Amino acid sequence: MTKIAIIQFPGSNCESESIRAIEQAGMEAEEFLWNRNPEDLKQFDGYFIVGGFSYEDRSRAGIIAALDPLMPFIRAEAEKGKPVLGICNGAQILVETGMVPGLADNAVGMALAVNKRIQNGKVLGTGFYNAWVHIQLAVPSESSAFSLHMKPGEYIKVPVAHGEGRFIIPGALLEEMKAKNLTLFRYCDANGSISEEFPINPNGAVYNLAAVTNVQGNVTAMMPHPERTDAGQPIFTSMREYIQNEKKININNPSTRRRGQGEVSTSVDPTPFVFTSSILELTPYSPTHHSFQLTTTLNITDNEAITVRNTLKQLGIDCEIKRMTHWEITAQPNTNLQQLEERIIASQELFNPRKENIINFPPLVGEGQGRVSTRDGRENTLLIRYKDDFIGQQKEQALHDRFGLSDITDLRHGTLWKISAPRDTIEATVQRILDTHILFNPYSQSCFTYGLY
């Protein structure tokens, strides 16, 4: 019988319904934990990376699991043509590995960012959203191992339950993906019509994308949960048929897949992507005019920083990591910044005094140059901000409405990552960390040097 590995990391929580969906489709499901011998993956016909909150979404959703030692083995099996389905958190993992859409060297080409519910041009809400939606097959049936039993334009009703499901894809790459039929499923209404408005598009995803696939069609990242409803069964029966009749991609002609005794042409374009991910260039941080900063650190154990450090160590990058929260508050020109700072601190809106301390690190004020001296040259700090800074916007509104601090004109939220390593290795260490993308995804976040080298 066709055998599917149900891939689980610490924090995965959708294994039961995933197993049920696989078995209902006539396949055998077996739970495969992250700490099992990865060589055992070879005995499976396909892989299902389930939803949940792997590693508690530390750093950001999917990235820690994407760097897990298990993933190169799954990638190797996928390169043999075996199907890999990632749903919700599994989709986030596949995006962060670069397995979708499959750029050269599996470079990361997109992001799954914080939800943004938009209606009539207004943001109604952000973050976690749980509802039923409709998704429509937007490509020819044989563009993917998971759409063989659906017709183009056919749509099904499935649940969504995620906080970071908004596909962000550069325009040039999106156009290539559309041309190559990789934009697998799109959100639609109950009549099959496409609209970017919430609630039809539940998270603000570009092009209403609910799922994308790689060029070979055997790796799919999908945010909705077809495993939680019988309506999603065509996705899993398609997976079964793909395995049974198309054991591997025809390497000599990837646009052809074997089925039984004959061959059928697929609708994907196997040529390499023209799009290439840009070289990362860090921008020095410079505070805005008439602003001040608040930096806070936890006075309890910071499990997120520990997980990042341990993941880097597992990758052979030995360093110390400290995480801090950074706020930049800009005020009207005649505002007394010291008094405003005291009122913000007293409000306790930007920090919890029971578990956070305000620190003075580093002393950048006003129109700083963005480059600071660091103690003995061993500590280097990066500032990460989401390009859509919903936390900053919401906190600014709260300080306006609840505390009457109308002098605030802008409030930015970010995370400071302080990296410590020996002086002679720090530059190479920071570059290696940047290469992993563990601290930020360049399509949804910005990175600034906040005291480097």
Side-chain angles (χ1 to χ4, degrees):
M1 180 180 285
T2 301
K3 195 173 181 181
I4 305 299
I6 306 297
I7 308 297
Q8 299 171 63
F9 296 98
S12 300
N13 62 16
C14 297
E15 64 276 8
S16 296
E17 54 263 58
S18 301
I19 291 171
R20 182 170 59 248
I22 290 294
E23 292 179 344
Q24 189 174 341
M27 297 179 285
E28 180 182 349
E30 182 176 324
E31 295 185 64
F32 198 105
L33 301 183
W34 80 101
N35 55 2
R36 183 170 165 181
N37 185 350
E39 291 288 342
D40 293 345
L41 288 168
K42 296 177 181 179
Q43 64 186 264
F44 293 90
D45 301 299
Y47 310 91
F48 184 171
I49 307 176
V50 302
F53 303 90
S54 61
Y55 295 97
E56 293 184 337
D57 287 347
R58 294 175 185 175
S59 190
R60 68 181 178 279
I63 183 58
I64 302 298
L67 296 171
D68 192 277
L70 202 65
M71 291 309 299
F73 288 85
I74 293 177
R75 181 185 295 116
E77 295 304 303
E79 289 172 355
K80 300 175 184 177
K82 293 184 180 181
V84 180
L85 175 63
I87 288 180
C88 198
N89 189 230
Q92 294 161 341
I93 293 168
L94 290 177
V95 165
E96 294 290 354
T97 62
M99 290 177 65
V100 289
L103 300 177
D105 300 320
N106 289 300
V108 175
M110 62 181 69
L112 280 165
V114 175
N115 295 346
K116 182 165 63 174
R117 297 184 281 280
I118 306 171
Q119 197 172 81
N120 298 322
K122 295 181 63 177
V123 178
L124 303 181
T126 63
F128 186 81
Y129 184 66
N130 183 6
W132 286 83
V133 299
H134 292 85
I135 60 173
Q136 182 179 69
L137 182 62
V139 298
S141 302
E142 292 186 348
S143 298
S144 161
F146 304 96
S147 55
L148 298 174
H149 289 180
M150 293 183 67
K151 297 178 181 178
E154 182 180 352
Y155 52 94
I156 57 177
K157 187 177 182 180
V158 294
V160 292
H162 56 253
E164 298 177 43
R166 177 166 55 104
F167 277 100
I168 294 179
I169 304 175
L173 177 58
L174 177 61
E175 290 306 310
E176 278 198 81
M177 292 177 64
K178 289 159 64 175
K180 292 176 180 291
N181 289 322
L182 310 185
T183 53
L184 189 60
F185 284 100
R186 299 177 70 195
Y187 296 108
C188 66
D189 66 14
N191 298 313
S193 298
I194 303 291
S195 170
E196 295 181 354
E197 296 280 286
F198 174 83
I200 297 169
N201 185 332
N203 51 35
V206 63
Y207 196 56
N208 278 49
L209 285 174
V212 300
T213 189
N214 66 338
V215 168
Q216 288 73 26
N218 66 317
V219 180
T220 288
M222 175 181 292
M223 285 311 302
H225 287 274
E227 80 280 16
R228 294 181 179 177
T229 171
D230 288 346
Q233 269 298 291
I235 291 168
F236 301 101
T237 56
S238 295
M239 183 184 191
R240 183 197 64 212
E241 181 184 338
Y242 173 84
I243 293 170
Q244 291 177 345
N245 296 330
E246 307 175 53
K247 294 297 185 183
K248 63 180 181 179
I249 302 296
N250 185 334
I251 301 300
N252 294 323
N253 183 5
S255 65
T256 320
R257 293 182 184 165
R258 298 188 180 281
R259 172 171 296 177
Q261 298 300 314
E263 293 184 344
V264 292
S265 296
T266 64
S267 301
V268 295
D269 175 2
T271 58
F273 285 96
V274 174
F275 177 88
T276 57
S277 54
S278 58
I279 298 174
L280 178 64
E281 294 183 1
L282 301 182
T283 304
Y285 168 70
S286 182
T288 57
H289 178 63
H290 207 63
S291 69
F292 64 94
Q293 300 157 71
L294 289 177
T295 302
T296 64
T297 184
L298 288 172
N299 56 29
I300 60 176
T301 301
D302 189 346
N303 290 322
E304 186 164 347
I306 291 173
T307 297
V308 169
R309 183 195 65 195
N310 290 343
T311 302
L312 291 171
K313 187 174 182 179
Q314 193 173 48
L315 295 171
I317 304 173
D318 194 8
C319 63
E320 291 298 320
I321 291 283
K322 184 175 182 179
R323 182 178 66 99
M324 293 157 284
T325 299
H326 180 268
W327 303 95
E328 180 185 330
I329 302 96
T330 305
Q332 295 177 0
N334 297 325
T335 303
N336 185 310
L337 294 183
Q338 183 175 348
Q339 291 180 0
L340 179 60
E341 179 178 358
E342 291 172 353
R343 293 180 66 187
I344 289 175
I345 292 173
S347 76
Q348 299 182 6
E349 183 65 28
L350 301 187
F351 74 107
N352 183 341
R354 290 185 294 274
K355 64 178 183 179
E356 292 176 285
N357 296 326
I358 295 176
I359 62 173
N360 186 24
F361 171 85
L364 287 179
V365 180
E367 296 179 278
Q369 299 303 305
R371 196 169 183 87
V372 301
S373 60
T374 56
R375 190 176 64 208
D376 75 12
R378 292 169 62 90
E379 295 171 343
N380 301 266
T381 305
L382 300 173
L383 171 62
I384 310 299
R385 284 176 173 169
Y386 276 95
K387 295 178 181 179
D388 289 322
D389 183 10
F390 298 128
I391 294 177
Q393 295 170 28
Q394 291 166 350
K395 290 298 185 181
E396 179 183 349
Q397 194 64 48
L399 289 169
H400 282 182
D401 297 345
R402 296 174 55 196
F403 300 98
L405 301 179
S406 57
D407 288 345
I408 299 173
T409 59
D410 192 30
L411 195 154
R412 301 289 182 90
H413 169 266
T415 300
L416 289 170
W417 292 96
K418 185 167 71 173
I419 305 163
S420 300
R423 182 190 299 270
D424 58 345
T425 65
I426 186 62
E427 185 172 356
T429 297
V430 171
Q431 186 57 57
R432 291 181 67 192
I433 292 173
L434 291 174
D435 290 342
T436 69
H437 294 288
I438 194 171
L439 300 184
F440 74 106
N441 183 307
Y443 299 101
S444 59
Q445 297 168 294
S446 299
C447 179
F448 303 89
T449 56
Y450 194 94
L452 199 59
Y453 314 137

